[in-house]
Amino acid sequence: MSQTLKAVRGTRDLLPPETDLWNRIEATARQVFARYNFGEIRTPIFEDTSLFARSVGEETDIVSKEMYSWEDRARAQSEKAQSLTLRPENTAGVVRAYIEHKLGERGQLQKLYYIGPQFRRERPQKGRYRQFWQIGAEVIGPPSSGSESPLRDAEVLEMLATLLDELGITGWTLELNSIGSAADRAHYNETLRAALAPLAPKMCTDCQRRAVTNPLRVLDCKVPEDQPVIATLPVIADSLSEDAKAHFAAVLAALDAAQVPYKLNHRLVRGLDYYTRTTFEFTHGGLGAQNALLGGGRYDGLSEALGGPKAPGIGFAMGLDRLVLTLQAAAQSSPLEKADAYIAPLGENLNAAALTLARELRRAGLRVELGDGSFRLKKSFEFAERAARRIVILGDDELESGNLTVKDFASGVQTKVPRKELVARLRS
Ligand code: AMP
């Protein structure tokens, strides 16, 4: 017997009725983004590998061990093979598109959102998949468009608080930090390197490596035994320049004024190299170990690092899979939404007439399930009761008289309804 095929580890099928919830979340996000005057961008699902190496950073977990990359063979002798990668995140693609299409020359701030799958070869667990979905947005533009203003940071954070509230997600926490300019971060990295030198040998092997290659990443370590050591390390707030401190203070002041609650977390440095100044995460207690609903931050030098013009920006990515988990946990179970009517033809000779009736009702905007004339009446009733609020019986009598038999399952009442009145009755 041949082996049955299954979805690849870390990927999954999304099925109804759960997909209704996915669609509802996406629709709410689109509405909220529209109110903040964002437009949608769709970038390719794969990009040149060097895009991620140059933006996310060679030393990050994502680039060093989690990317799905392959050599795309040259098709002609004159062509070179190209290393391609399934996108592990979407900011790099958006900034590449910003540069490629010279969006900065449009003068205003570019406010772009995206919804789509991302790919990382991580160890699968609840809330962590190898193909997962992100809803994200970026605010980016030349400095003259106001892209560096702390108001942009505060506006993005206020929008996220509004979006989570409108999705019905309660109990979120906004954790906030500033990691300063690239120079501040380099300075802090050296401070950490010195502090870690005597401590690293007692830490996990990842931290021993990070202590040399990229000390900032030590703060991301989740190994419980390392936490007391990490708690003694110098904090980044002490390495910030006056500029970065003032920028962060202005972000906090705007959030205070708008009454968006937050918690400062000086260990929040985030897993991607391109961040500068404001970094943030929204967490949720109900998610367990993978408790980040979303993360983001400012990336003032990213465009230049990719060969583009100066274009400060700020953005975020939220995990759609995790939003779904949070809402499912809160709602217990979501009942299957029922169709308005189930049409039961009594005999196969009535199938064509049943299709015509279904077409009429569906074109009138009703949600209709169509049975089959080969079913016995009892079976039609069983199927109908599971799928719809009412059954419409179509027999030879009904077809001739133009009066259809309709049974409402909630009330148990069965009546004859003239065809002309059927749409109105089924809508009620
Ligand atoms: P990041 O791009 O790592 O900052 O992630 C942003 C958000 O995407 C996280 O807060 C999660 O909600 C979500 N996310 C990241 N990686 C995964 C994954 N492997 N599976 C599911 N969601 C993820």
Side-chain angles (χ1 to χ4, degrees):
M1 212 175 75
S2 62
Q3 214 185 341
T4 50
L5 289 170
K6 291 194 168 153
V8 173
R9 185 169 135 84
T11 71
R12 34 195 204 132
D13 301 307
L14 305 172
L15 307 171
E18 192 182 306
T19 36
D20 285 349
L21 181 55
W22 284 70
N23 287 331
R24 255 203 327 269
I25 295 173
E26 290 177 19
T28 304
R30 287 178 195 281
Q31 279 165 17
V32 171
F33 291 147
R35 269 189 267 145
Y36 287 76
N37 209 22
F38 279 70
E40 183 177 4
I41 181 168
R42 300 188 191 197
T43 65
I45 277 178
F46 56 90
E47 300 265 4
D48 195 298
T49 303
S50 63
L51 173 65
F52 304 112
R54 283 168 62 185
S55 55
V56 177
E58 299 270 11
E59 256 309 309
T60 57
D61 284 353
I62 294 180
V63 174
S64 64
K65 49 188 188 198
E66 294 171 0
M67 296 205 301
Y68 287 97
S69 303
W70 69 99
E71 284 298 309
D72 208 46
R73 273 183 298 123
R75 305 195 64 192
Q77 278 205 322
S78 55
E79 255 180 26
K80 280 215 309 235
Q82 192 181 8
S83 176
L84 302 178
T85 293
L86 288 180
R87 63 185 187 198
E89 58 92 59
N90 221 150
T91 300
V94 173
V95 176
R96 182 209 34 78
Y98 173 91
I99 297 167
E100 186 170 334
H101 303 288
K102 299 189 168 55
L103 298 184
E105 291 176 14
R106 297 186 179 183
Q108 327 99 317
L109 210 51
Q110 296 297 304
K111 296 162 71 173
L112 305 165
Y113 79 86
Y114 58 84
I115 299 178
Q118 317 293 337
F119 306 85
R120 295 182 196 171
R121 191 186 279 110
E122 293 193 89
R123 198 169 50 75
Q125 64 181 89
K126 184 179 170 218
R128 191 160 75 192
Y129 312 97
R130 291 181 166 178
Q131 174 173 340
F132 58 98
W133 271 256
Q134 285 186 335
I135 300 180
E138 315 293 346
V139 177
I140 179 169
S144 60
S145 66
S147 54
E148 243 173 320
S149 166
L151 179 56
R152 300 281 76 87
D153 307 44
E155 187 185 22
V156 163
L157 291 165
E158 188 279 323
M159 174 172 82
L160 282 167
T162 297
L163 175 55
L164 291 178
D165 287 347
E166 293 199 11
L167 286 171
I169 293 184
T170 52
W172 49 261
T173 304
L174 162 56
E175 300 192 23
L176 203 54
N177 191 23
S178 174
I179 57 170
S181 65
D184 297 343
R185 222 174 52 180
H187 172 240
Y188 181 58
N189 243 335
E190 289 322 306
T191 310
L192 269 187
R193 200 187 302 277
L196 279 167
L199 302 172
K202 285 175 274 173
M203 301 179 77
C204 70
T205 47
D206 273 343
C207 281
Q208 292 179 22
R209 180 175 47 82
R210 292 171 181 141
V212 181
T213 56
N214 194 348
L216 204 63
R217 290 276 87 78
V218 168
L219 303 186
D220 286 337
C221 174
K222 298 281 184 311
V223 176
E225 294 75 29
D226 286 354
Q227 302 310 309
V229 181
I230 295 171
T232 66
L233 294 172
V235 297
I236 198 160
D238 297 330
S239 290
L240 295 188
S241 59
E242 288 311 312
D243 252 13
K245 276 187 196 157
H247 191 275
F248 194 44
V251 175
L252 301 185
L255 289 177
D256 289 337
Q259 299 186 325
V260 176
Y262 58 83
K263 219 172 83 182
L264 297 178
N265 175 357
H266 60 247
R267 276 185 55 183
L268 189 72
V269 293
R270 313 260 312 120
L272 297 83
D273 266 3
Y274 52 61
Y275 286 114
T276 52
R277 302 206 261 202
T278 313
T279 54
F280 56 86
E281 263 179 19
F282 281 71
T283 55
H284 197 279
L287 279 168
Q290 301 303 317
N291 70 349
L293 278 175
L294 68 95
R298 209 167 239 295
Y299 44 82
D300 292 340
L302 179 55
S303 171
E304 288 127 297
L306 294 176
K310 190 168 163 58
I314 179 163
F316 64 85
M318 53 208 287
L320 190 43
D321 306 73
R322 295 189 192 172
L323 292 177
V324 169
L325 281 173
T326 311
L327 287 172
Q328 278 173 335
Q332 303 305 335
S333 70
S334 58
L336 191 68
E337 207 184 309
K338 291 199 166 175
D340 298 308
Y342 180 100
I343 299 177
L346 296 183
E348 286 176 62
N349 59 318
L350 290 161
N351 271 350
L355 178 66
T356 310
L357 178 61
R359 173 176 158 95
E360 220 174 278
L361 300 180
R362 286 168 174 157
R363 288 195 167 210
L366 292 165
R367 179 165 166 167
V368 174
E369 184 68 38
L370 180 57
D372 192 276
S374 67
F375 298 166
R376 302 175 76 105
L377 193 58
K378 184 162 176 277
K379 178 165 163 182
S380 289
F381 264 92
E382 278 167 15
F383 280 6
E385 199 154 2
R386 249 182 280 154
R389 295 188 292 123
R390 294 181 173 113
I391 186 168
V392 177
I393 297 165
L394 183 64
D396 288 315
D397 287 356
E398 281 84 359
L399 199 60
E400 239 165 67
S401 68
N403 288 326
L404 294 140
T405 305
V406 177
K407 180 171 181 182
D408 182 291
F409 292 120
S411 64
V413 176
Q414 185 165 315
T415 44
K416 292 267 183 197
V417 180
R419 190 150 174 164
K420 290 199 303 291
E421 293 169 24
L422 190 59
V423 169
R425 177 67 67 88
L426 294 176
R427 267 205 194 112
S428 65

